[in-house]
Amino acid sequence: MAERRCYYLKRNPPHDGQYSIIPFKTDEVILGRSVEATNLILDRGISRKHALFTRRGDNWIVKNLSLNGVLVNDKPVKTEEEQDLSIGDTIIFGGSSKFTYHFGVKEIMAREGSTSTSQSCSNNKRLKSEDSRSILQTNLSQEHAILEQQLKESDALQLRLEQERNQLRDSLQKQQEQLKDKYQQEKEKLEHQFAAGALAQQVMLKEKESLAQRLKMQVKKLQGRLDEDRKTLEDQLRLEEEQRNHILQEKEKVLHQLEEEKANLERVLEEERHRLQEQLEATEYHKEELRQQLEAKESAILAKEVEKKKAEQEKERLEDELAKERLRLAKELESVKNHYVEKERKNFLLGSMLKEKEESLRTELLSGLQNELQTLEAQNMSLEQELESTAVATKYAREEVVESVSGVLENELQCSICNELLITAITLNCSHTFCRYCIDRWKKNKRECPNCRASITSETRSLVVDNFIEKIVPTLSEEMKKKRADIVAERKAEIEVCSLAQAAAATQRGRRGRRRGARRQNAPNRAGSSWSLGRRLSLQLVRLHQHSTFICIF
C-alpha cells in the first residue's frame, strides 16, 4: 500500500459557500483575483496576486505578495517575506476575517502494481472531479454576475442563429419534399413507361439514376451550407470569447487606474499636510509679531509711567520751592515788622507803602503759584488718560493674543484620542502625536496609529511640544487651567495606582514562591508574621486599585 498526500485550504465557517476548498494541484499555487492566478477569489479585499504557496520537500511555504496583508495564526507576514506552514495553521487573507482558511492535508491509500495504478487513477479522477466540482461551484458563482450581460447578448445571437437555422432546415425539408414528390412522379411515369416496354424501362432507369445523382448533389450542397453555417456560429462564439477576455482586460485596466488614483489622493493628502504645516509656521510668525507689538506697547506704557513720575517729582520740587519762598517771605515780613516797630514813628508813611507793596507781591506770588499748579494738574490728567487708553489697548491686544493662541492650541495641539491638550506628548513613527496615557491605553487593543492605521514601530518623546504647551498654559483662561490640572492629576493618580497594584502583584507572587520554598525545606517559621503582613498589604493595595478604577469609570 502507498500513500499520497493532497494539500488543501478549507474555509472556516460561517461563509456563503464560495471558495470553500482550494486544492494544491501543483508545487506552486498563486492565489488572487487575476486571471493569471492558479485559484481565483473575486473580491475587492484580495489583490490580483495576493499570496504564493510553494512546496519544498514535505513542507509548504507562503509568501505575501500583497499590501492588503496575509496573517498566519493571527501573526502578519510582511510583504515579500516567507512563512513556513504547518498542518492545522490558520491563514487569513486581507485585512478582515472574511477569508479565513484552515491548512490541511488528506492522505490517500493506493495499492501497488496494476491495481494501485488503477486505484490511483480512480482516486485522481475522484479528486479531480471533486476539485473540478468545487472550482466550478466557485467560478460559476463568481463569474455569473460578470458574464450575465454577455450571456444575454450571446443568447440573443443564438436565438437569431437558431431562427436562421430553422429557416434553412425548413427550406431544406421543403426542397426534399419537392424532390420526393418529383421523384415519385417520375417513378410513376417510369413505371407506366416500363409497362409499355423494356426499352422505356431502361430509359427510365437511366433517368432515375440521373435524378438520384442530382438529388445527392443537392443534398451535398445543403450539407456544405450547413457546415458553413456551423463554422460561422463557431467563429461568432470565438469572437464572443475574445470579447469576454477583452472585457476582463478592461477590468484590470480600471483597477490599475483606481490604484493610480489612490496614489494621487495620497500625494494630495501629503501636500495638504505640508500646507497645514506652513500655516502653522505662519501663525507662529504672526504670534511672534503680536508679542513684539505687545512688548513695544508695554515699553511705551513704562515710558509714560516714567514721565508721570518725573511730573510728580517736578510738582514736589515746585511745592518745596513754594514752601521755601513762603518761609523767606515770612522771615522778611518779620524783619520788616521789627524794622517798622523800631522806626514806626519816623517812617509811618514808609510803613504804609511797604504794606501795600507786600500785599501786591503776595497776591502776585499766589496767583503765579496757582497757575503753575493748574498747569501741572492738567498735565497729570492728560497723562492719566493716556495711561488708561494704553492699558485698554494692551488688554485688547493680550485678549487677541490669548484667543489666537487658544485657537492654535485647539486646532493643532490636541490629542485626537481624548480631544484635550497634549500631556506628555509622544510622536509615533508615522509623525502623529498623542498623549502617552492615551496611546498606552490604545495599544492594549491595537498596535496601530489611530489616525492613519499604520503599525506602531517606534515612539519618541516630543519635548518641544511639551515645553511649548507649558509656556502657553499660563496665558489661558482659569477654567482651561483648572481643567488641565484636574486631568493631569487624575491621570497621575491612576498611573500611580496601577504601578502600586503591579508592585503588589509582584510582591505577592514573590512571597508565594518563597512560601513554596519554605514548605519544601520544612521551615514553617519563615512564613510567619512577615508573610501575613505582606499579604495583607498586597490585598489592601489591590482593593485600593479596584476602588480607584471604580472611581475613574464613574
Side-chain angles (χ1 to χ4, degrees):
M1 300 294 286
E3 294 182 355
R4 190 170 66 87
R5 291 187 172 185
C6 295
Y7 295 90
Y8 62 90
L9 290 176
K10 186 175 181 181
R11 190 174 178 184
N12 293 344
H15 56 82
D16 54 359
Q18 296 182 356
Y19 320 112
S20 59
I21 295 176
I22 299 176
F24 291 175
K25 296 181 180 180
T26 60
D27 292 340
E28 286 189 357
V29 176
I30 299 175
L31 190 142
R33 56 180 173 84
S34 175
V35 293
E36 299 176 359
T38 308
N39 295 95
L40 289 173
I41 296 180
L42 297 179
D43 190 84
R44 292 183 178 179
I46 303 299
S47 301
R48 288 178 294 175
K49 290 184 179 180
H50 199 96
L52 172 64
F53 293 87
T54 307
R55 183 173 184 176
R56 294 179 182 175
D58 292 336
N59 297 325
W60 282 87
I61 295 171
V62 62
K63 184 177 181 181
N64 184 11
L65 304 177
S66 171
L67 296 175
N68 293 331
V70 175
L71 280 75
V72 177
N73 295 327
D74 296 332
K75 292 182 180 180
V77 180
K78 295 182 179 179
T79 308
E80 299 298 333
E81 287 191 2
E82 297 179 348
Q83 177 70 34
D84 294 332
L85 294 178
S86 300
I87 304 302
D89 287 347
T90 301
I91 303 173
I92 300 175
F93 300 106
S96 63
S97 60
K98 181 178 180 182
F99 294 100
T100 303
Y101 287 87
H102 175 80
F103 181 68
V105 64
K106 187 174 183 181
E107 295 182 354
I108 299 174
M109 305 299 292
R111 294 180 181 177
E112 297 180 354
S114 60
T115 57
S116 64
T117 56
S118 62
Q119 190 172 1
S120 63
C121 290
S122 64
N123 289 328
N124 289 330
K125 289 181 181 179
R126 185 171 56 81
L127 287 173
K128 287 181 180 179
S129 63
E130 290 178 357
D131 295 339
S132 62
R133 191 182 297 111
S134 61
I135 291 169
L136 284 173
Q137 289 177 357
T138 55
N139 291 335
L140 288 174
S141 60
Q142 293 165 5
E143 296 179 357
H144 182 270
I146 299 172
L147 301 176
E148 185 177 358
Q149 187 65 28
Q150 298 177 0
L151 288 174
K152 289 180 180 179
E153 295 176 358
S154 63
D155 290 338
L157 182 61
Q158 287 178 359
L159 289 173
R160 185 169 58 81
L161 294 173
E162 188 68 27
Q163 290 176 359
E164 293 178 357
R165 186 183 295 172
N166 292 329
Q167 291 176 0
L168 290 172
R169 188 182 294 111
D170 294 336
S171 64
L172 181 61
Q173 289 177 358
K174 288 179 180 179
Q175 289 178 3
Q176 287 178 354
E177 289 176 356
Q178 290 176 359
L179 289 173
K180 286 181 179 179
D181 293 338
K182 189 175 181 180
Y183 176 73
Q184 189 69 27
Q185 292 175 1
E186 292 292 336
K187 184 179 179 182
E188 290 177 355
K189 288 179 181 180
L190 289 171
E191 287 177 354
H192 182 69
Q193 291 177 2
F194 182 75
L199 294 173
Q201 186 178 4
Q202 293 178 357
V203 173
M204 289 178 69
L205 288 172
K206 290 179 180 179
E207 289 180 358
K208 182 178 179 182
E209 290 177 356
S210 63
L211 287 173
Q213 289 178 357
R214 282 185 290 176
L215 182 61
K216 288 181 180 178
M217 292 295 293
Q218 289 180 358
V219 170
K220 286 182 180 179
K221 288 181 181 179
L222 292 173
Q223 188 67 32
R225 290 179 63 184
L226 289 173
D227 291 335
E228 290 177 358
D229 292 336
R230 184 175 59 79
K231 289 181 180 179
T232 54
L233 288 173
E234 289 178 353
D235 294 335
Q236 289 177 356
L237 291 174
R238 183 175 54 80
L239 290 173
E240 289 177 359
E241 185 67 22
E242 290 177 355
Q243 289 178 358
R244 186 176 70 83
N245 294 328
H246 181 69
I247 290 169
L248 291 174
Q249 291 177 359
E250 291 292 333
K251 182 179 178 183
E252 292 293 332
K253 289 181 181 178
V254 170
L255 292 174
H256 183 66
Q257 290 177 359
L258 289 174
E259 290 178 354
E260 290 180 353
E261 290 178 357
K262 181 181 178 182
N264 293 329
L265 182 61
E266 290 178 353
R267 181 174 55 79
V268 170
L269 290 174
E270 186 68 21
E271 292 177 357
E272 186 69 17
R273 188 177 67 80
H274 286 300
R275 185 178 66 79
L276 292 174
Q277 186 69 24
E278 291 176 357
Q279 289 182 358
L280 179 62
E281 292 176 356
T283 53
E284 291 289 336
Y285 180 75
H286 183 63
K287 184 185 72 173
E288 185 66 23
E289 289 182 352
L290 290 175
R291 187 179 63 79
Q292 292 177 0
Q293 292 177 3
L294 182 62
E295 289 177 356
K297 289 182 179 180
E298 288 178 351
S299 62
I301 291 168
L302 292 174
K304 294 290 184 181
E305 290 178 353
V306 170
E307 289 179 359
K308 183 178 179 181
K309 288 181 180 179
K310 288 182 179 179
E312 290 177 354
Q313 290 177 359
E314 186 68 20
K315 181 179 178 182
E316 290 177 356
R317 186 180 63 79
L318 291 174
E319 288 178 354
D320 293 335
E321 289 179 357
L322 181 61
K324 289 179 181 180
E325 188 67 22
R326 285 178 179 176
L327 291 174
R328 186 178 64 79
L329 289 174
K331 289 180 180 179
E332 287 180 358
L333 184 60
E334 288 293 332
S335 63
V336 170
K337 283 182 179 181
N338 291 329
H339 185 70
Y340 179 74
V341 170
E342 292 176 353
K343 295 182 178 181
E344 184 177 1
R345 294 178 182 179
K346 295 180 180 180
N347 298 322
F348 179 77
L349 296 174
L350 185 61
S352 61
M353 291 173 66
L354 287 171
K355 286 181 180 179
E356 292 174 358
K357 189 176 181 179
E358 181 182 0
E359 289 176 357
S360 64
L361 289 170
R362 184 180 296 173
T363 53
E364 288 177 359
L365 287 171
L366 289 173
S367 63
L369 290 172
Q370 287 177 357
N371 291 328
E372 289 180 356
L373 288 172
Q374 288 177 358
T375 55
L376 288 174
E377 288 176 355
Q379 290 178 359
N380 192 9
M381 291 290 291
S382 64
L383 288 173
E384 288 178 354
Q385 290 177 357
E386 289 179 358
L387 288 173
E388 289 177 356
S389 63
T390 52
V392 172
T394 304
K395 182 178 179 181
Y396 288 155
R398 286 181 179 177
E399 289 177 354
E400 289 177 357
V401 171
V402 169
E403 288 177 357
S404 64
V405 170
S406 62
V408 171
L409 290 175
E410 290 177 356
N411 294 327
E412 302 296 333
L413 299 177
Q414 277 189 353
C415 176
S416 59
I417 297 176
C418 62
N419 292 328
E420 299 292 342
L421 291 179
L422 292 169
I423 300 171
T424 311
I426 297 295
T427 302
L428 303 181
N429 54 319
C430 59
S431 301
H432 291 119
T433 306
F434 307 92
C435 300
R436 178 183 287 279
Y437 174 79
C438 298
I439 197 64
D440 288 340
R441 294 188 65 186
W442 179 269
K443 288 191 297 183
K444 292 179 180 178
N445 295 326
K446 294 181 179 179
R447 290 193 63 84
E448 60 184 15
C449 178
N451 289 344
C452 64
R453 302 300 179 185
S455 61
I456 299 173
T457 58
S458 63
E459 298 178 0
T460 306
R461 174 74 182 277
S462 184
L463 295 175
V464 176
V465 177
D466 290 337
N467 294 331
F468 179 73
I469 292 174
E470 292 299 329
K471 289 181 180 179
I472 293 299
V473 165
T475 62
L476 300 176
S477 61
E478 295 296 327
E479 183 179 358
M480 293 181 70
K481 290 180 184 178
K482 185 178 179 182
K483 183 179 179 182
R484 180 175 175 82
D486 293 338
I487 293 171
V488 171
E490 182 180 353
R491 292 184 179 180
K492 186 176 180 181
E494 187 172 351
I495 291 170
E496 290 178 355
V497 169
C498 291
S499 62
L500 288 173
Q502 291 176 359
T507 55
Q508 188 174 3
R509 289 195 296 270
R511 292 186 182 280
R512 286 178 179 175
R514 287 196 295 272
R515 186 177 63 179
R516 294 191 188 100
R519 287 179 177 177
R520 290 173 184 173
Q521 296 175 2
N522 294 322
N525 53 356
R526 287 187 178 180
S529 59
S530 62
W531 182 84
S532 61
L533 180 61
R535 183 170 183 179
R536 287 198 299 272
L537 179 60
S538 62
L539 289 173
Q540 289 178 0
L541 288 173
V542 170
R543 291 172 182 172
L544 178 61
H545 173 64
Q546 292 175 354
H547 181 66
S548 62
T549 306
F550 180 79
I551 292 171
C552 293
I553 290 171
F554 287 93

